Amino acid sequence: MTAPSAPTLPPAAPGLPGSPDLLRSVFRRHAAGVAVITAEEGGRPVGFTATSLNSVSADPPLLSFTIATGASSWPAIRDSEHLGVHILGEHQQDLAGLFARSGADRFGPGTGWSEGPYGVPVLDGVLAWLVCRVVARVPAGAHRVIIAEAVAGDPGGEGRPLLYHQGRFNALRD
């Protein structure tokens, strides 16, 4: 009896070596929904735009997103027990840009919001929002993956989702 031969592997696909530029280039081709994450810090609302929002589990209802530890919102996210997660509509490109801009007055006169459950800032006019309890902050390079459990929310906003693709905010097309 002869020994079986080792399986033949296909040749490696041609490509570029792994790098930050390669990852950015690939993910520019990946359309992502746009969310704003909010928290309260010392009686002040804080927030930032996130395109890394993911559903993790339906039972328990968990989601995740990432934040850079150098971001101005990081101290509030690091220290908050509860956070707001807002799904933006295509009519909210300006709001997405405002919350993405460093040094901007994100909760100035042009931003409609109110205090929601657990004191979390809840934005007006979004497609949907959740208030979540943080269950984990996982180190990932210069970022943290935040895992949070939904404890309250409203999915009843009107409109279509805002997307981020090729480095720009975009509307969904049929």
Side-chain angles (χ1 to χ4, degrees), residues 13-114:
L16 302 172
S19 70
D21 287 339
L22 174 62
L23 189 68
R24 282 187 207 98
S25 295
V26 168
F27 272 86
R28 278 189 195 105
R29 295 180 165 273
H30 174 69
V34 181
V36 168
I37 310 298
T38 60
E40 181 274 329
E41 179 181 46
R44 293 180 24 252
V46 298
F48 68 98
T49 299
T51 58
S52 61
L53 182 66
N54 290 291
S55 171
V56 173
S57 167
D59 190 13
L62 299 175
L63 59 82
S64 70
F65 63 88
T66 61
I67 181 171
T69 57
S72 62
S73 297
W74 167 240
I77 302 302
R78 178 193 63 213
D79 298 338
S80 293
E81 185 176 340
H82 291 90
L83 307 167
V85 176
H86 307 82
I87 307 301
L88 299 190
E90 63 186 9
H91 63 285
Q92 295 178 304
Q93 288 187 20
D94 290 343
L95 187 67
L98 175 66
F99 275 81
R101 201 167 31 255
S102 180
D105 184 6
R106 297 171 180 162
F107 287 90
T111 303
W113 66 280
S114 59

